[in-house]
């Protein structure tokens, strides 16, 4: 029988997939996250999700592999995970008082067939003060998260509104993924 493999080391994704099934294993992909230069910002997460899933599927061809990637897009610019405090500050200033999109791309591969899809959620931030941004960065929370914030943590204090799937912003669109898994 096929195992379900989540190609992710994200503790948030590991918790969220348990809403779908407890019967899975995690094998993180270490594939370089490189997208072709002509990739549209809205497609970056799908390209990266596919790269991760294919990397793990090559080594586990009898299993079902799920790859995911989440990006934040503000002003048509992709905001990944900040490498340092300065980048985190730049990202949070860009998000401050604005709406942005959180896009999670997913790839599900079984029997050499790949389904790639994405979930888009719009998030609006309150206008943030420099003190709020500095305190948040000092907490350490922004550094392993796309767009330099976690909606499930202290980053929730910045959110004025959300339109779409909350769990997508956390990193895994569970309802959409559950439906795709049922299809296969």
């Amino acid at each position: 029988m096929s195992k379900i493999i989540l190609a992710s080391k994200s503790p948030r994704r590991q918790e969220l997939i348990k809403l779908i099934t407890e019967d899975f294993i995690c094998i993180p992909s270490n594939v370089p996250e490189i997208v072709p230069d002509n990739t549209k910002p809205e497609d970056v997460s799908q390209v990266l999700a596919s790269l991760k899933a294919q990397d793990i599927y090559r080594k586990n061809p009898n299993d079902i592999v799920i790859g995911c990637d989440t990006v934040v897009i503000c002003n048509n610019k992709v905001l990944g995970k900040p490498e340092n405090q300065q980048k985190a500050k730049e990202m949070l200033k860009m998000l401050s008082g604005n709406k942005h999109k959180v896009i999670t791309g997913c790839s599900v591969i079984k029997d050499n067939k790949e389904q790639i899809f994405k979930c888009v959620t719009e998030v609006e931030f309150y206008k943030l003060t420099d003190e709020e941004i500095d305190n948040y960065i000092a907490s350490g929370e922004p550094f392993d998260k796309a767009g330099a914030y976690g909606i499930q943590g202290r980053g929730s204090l910045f959110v004025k509104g959300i339109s779409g799937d909350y769990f997508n912003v956390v990193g895994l669109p569970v309802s959409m993924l559950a439906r795709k898994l049922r299809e296969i």
Side-chain angles (χ1 to χ4, degrees), residues 97-123:
N98 288 314
K99 289 183 180 177
H100 60 276
K101 291 179 188 172
V102 179
I103 302 176
T104 299
C106 295
S107 166
V108 179
I109 307 176
K110 180 185 182 195
D111 298 331
N112 257 345
K113 293 183 184 87
E114 182 177 28
Q115 288 190 41
I116 303 172
F117 58 95
K118 67 182 172 186
C119 183
V120 181
T121 304
E122 189 175 81
V123 180

Side-chain angles (χ1 to χ4, degrees), residues 14-28:
Q14 290 173 36
E15 278 302 309
L16 289 175
I17 200 167
K18 289 178 186 175
L19 297 171
I20 301 170
T21 180
E22 293 276 343
D23 190 19
F24 72 97
I25 62 171
C26 284
I27 304 176

Side-chain angles (χ1 to χ4, degrees), residues 15 25 27 34-35 46 55 75 105 113 120 174 179-180:
E15 278 302 309
I25 62 171
I27 304 176
I34 300 169
V35 296
Q46 289 172 281
D55 176 50
N75 301 328
K113 293 183 184 87
V120 181
V174 290
R179 281 163 176 70
K180 296 290 183 184

Side-chain angles (χ1 to χ4, degrees), residues 73-84:
I73 299 176
C74 187
N75 301 328
N76 211 33
K77 187 173 180 184
V78 176
L79 306 180
K81 297 174 185 173
E83 306 98 50
N84 55 46

Side-chain angles (χ1 to χ4, degrees), residues 8-150:
S8 176
K9 64 182 175 221
S10 164
R12 293 165 296 283
R13 285 195 185 107
Q14 290 173 36
E15 278 302 309
L16 289 175
I17 200 167
K18 289 178 186 175
L19 297 171
I20 301 170
T21 180
E22 293 276 343
D23 190 19
F24 72 97
I25 62 171
C26 284
I27 304 176
S29 170
N30 294 315
V31 71
E33 295 188 12
I34 300 169
V35 296
D37 289 338
N38 60 346
T39 306
K40 295 177 188 164
E42 293 81 18
D43 297 334
V44 167
S45 64
Q46 289 172 281
V47 170
L48 293 175
S50 179
L51 283 173
K52 293 173 185 179
Q54 289 177 24
D55 176 50
I56 300 304
Y57 186 76
R58 276 192 290 277
K59 301 164 199 150
N60 302 276
N62 299 317
D63 297 315
I64 300 167
V65 177
I66 302 166
C68 303
D69 192 80
T70 302
V71 297
V72 171
I73 299 176
C74 187
N75 301 328
N76 211 33
K77 187 173 180 184
V78 176
L79 306 180
K81 297 174 185 173
E83 306 98 50
N84 55 46
Q85 289 186 352
Q86 184 57 39
K87 290 284 183 197
K89 190 170 201 159
E90 288 170 15
M91 288 181 192
L92 291 165
K93 281 185 173 286
M94 187 183 297
L95 298 174
S96 174
N98 288 314
K99 289 183 180 177
H100 60 276
K101 291 179 188 172
V102 179
I103 302 176
T104 299
C106 295
S107 166
V108 179
I109 307 176
K110 180 185 182 195
D111 298 331
N112 257 345
K113 293 183 184 87
E114 182 177 28
Q115 288 190 41
I116 303 172
F117 58 95
K118 67 182 172 186
C119 183
V120 181
T121 304
E122 189 175 81
V123 180
E124 183 177 6
F125 266 25
Y126 285 104
K127 185 84 176 133
L128 306 177
T129 66
D130 286 342
E131 183 181 8
E132 285 176 302
I133 291 171
D134 291 342
N135 288 340
Y136 186 58
I137 291 169
S139 78
E141 189 174 285
F143 297 104
D144 67 338
K145 295 167 184 70
Y149 78 96

